[in-house]
């Protein structure tokens, strides 16, 4: 029988590298999908995933099962690190350039993209999480409920609230 996630984290806290490998094999595919949906490319998502598992290795003693599942712990770390990178990239992009980009993008589209990013970052984390899972990982409400280990009604309420926030910002049919 395979050890539980909690047992693997406990073994990691004792320095067991095989436990880290097992945890990685078990959770990396889903976490890679999440990070790819949030970041620009596979290479950046893989780099982020490496950082997340390195952080999990270093902080395995900090994991408290009563606060949530290992999957939720890793997902939260992945999402947080991805958002950190998005914010950091946005700050780096603010440097003006001398030449216009080769491919012109309508200003209204750029403005909508900026507003969407700002809205998502300002949105409560639990709403943003279900919205990203629904739209970028194409998960159903029941799949999200299973993944996050919360009732399906809670998932639907959070999605409804997140969509209402987006409608308030962008209007019923967009801008």
């Amino acid at each position: 029988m395979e050890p539980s996630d909690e047992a693997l984290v406990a073994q990691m806290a004792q320095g067991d590298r095989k436990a880290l490998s097992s945890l990685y094999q078990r959770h990396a595919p889903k976490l890679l999908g999440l990070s790819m949906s949030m970041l620009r490319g596979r290479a950046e998502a893989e780099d982020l995933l490496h950082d997340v598992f390195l952080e999990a290795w270093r902080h395995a003693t900090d994991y408290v099962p009563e606060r949530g599942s290992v999957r939720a712990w890793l997902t939260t770390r992945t999402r947080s690190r991805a958002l950190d990178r998005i914010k950091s990239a946005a700050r780096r992009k603010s440097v003006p350039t001398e030449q216009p980009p080769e491919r012109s993008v309508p200003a209204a589209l750029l403005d909508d993209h900026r507003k969407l990013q700002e809205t998502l970052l300002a949105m409560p984390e639990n709403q943003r999480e279900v919205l990203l899972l629904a739209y970028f990982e194409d998960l159903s409400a029941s799949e999200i409920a299973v993944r996050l280990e919360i009732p399906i009604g809670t998932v639907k309420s959070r999605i409804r609230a997140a969509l209402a926030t987006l409608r308030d910002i962008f209007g019923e049919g967009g801008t």
Side-chain angles (χ1 to χ4, degrees), residues 1-13:
M1 188 167 116
E2 294 279 322
S4 68
D5 288 348
E6 291 78 12
L8 290 174
V9 172
Q11 291 169 0
M12 286 169 42

Side-chain angles (χ1 to χ4, degrees), residues 23-126:
L23 197 67
Y24 182 89
Q25 289 177 354
R26 196 175 286 176
H27 293 286
K30 293 280 186 180
L31 296 175
L32 180 61
L34 172 63
S35 58
M36 284 177 61
S37 71
M38 296 178 73
L39 301 173
R40 292 183 176 219
R42 184 175 185 92
E44 188 175 6
E46 288 172 348
D47 185 46
L48 176 101
L49 197 58
H50 174 267
D51 291 348
V52 166
F53 276 94
L54 183 60
E55 184 180 329
W57 171 258
R58 291 181 178 155
H59 297 281
T61 57
D62 297 342
Y63 172 70
V64 179
E66 293 78 25
R67 292 180 59 194
S69 69
V70 171
R71 181 184 342 169
W73 183 61
L74 291 170
T75 301
T76 299
R77 286 181 179 277
T78 301
R79 234 179 355 74
S80 295
R81 296 311 152 260
L83 290 172
D84 290 346
R85 287 187 184 204
I86 291 168
K87 289 177 192 176
S88 176
R91 281 193 284 271
R92 284 192 307 267
K93 278 186 175 179
S94 66
V95 177
T97 61
E98 297 283 329
Q99 299 176 346
E102 289 181 30
R103 194 172 65 180
S104 150
V105 177
L109 185 60
L110 289 174
D111 187 48
D112 283 352
H113 185 263
R114 181 192 52 75
K115 282 194 321 191
L116 178 60
Q117 278 186 319
E118 289 173 357
T119 303
L120 287 172
L121 290 172
M123 191 177 285
E125 185 175 329
N126 60 10

Side-chain angles (χ1 to χ4, degrees), residues 101-161:
E102 289 181 30
R103 194 172 65 180
S104 150
V105 177
L109 185 60
L110 289 174
D111 187 48
D112 283 352
H113 185 263
R114 181 192 52 75
K115 282 194 321 191
L116 178 60
Q117 278 186 319
E118 289 173 357
T119 303
L120 287 172
L121 290 172
M123 191 177 285
E125 185 175 329
N126 60 10
Q127 290 178 16
R128 180 176 53 245
E129 180 176 39
V130 296
L131 197 61
L132 292 174
L133 289 171
Y135 286 93
F136 293 110
E137 288 196 35
D138 200 28
L139 297 180
S140 67
S142 57
E143 290 169 327
I144 294 169
V146 169
R147 171 149 334 154
L148 299 180
E149 299 176 347
I150 58 176
I152 192 169
T154 302
V155 172
K156 290 179 179 181
S157 296
R158 289 177 184 176
I159 289 174
R160 192 173 320 116

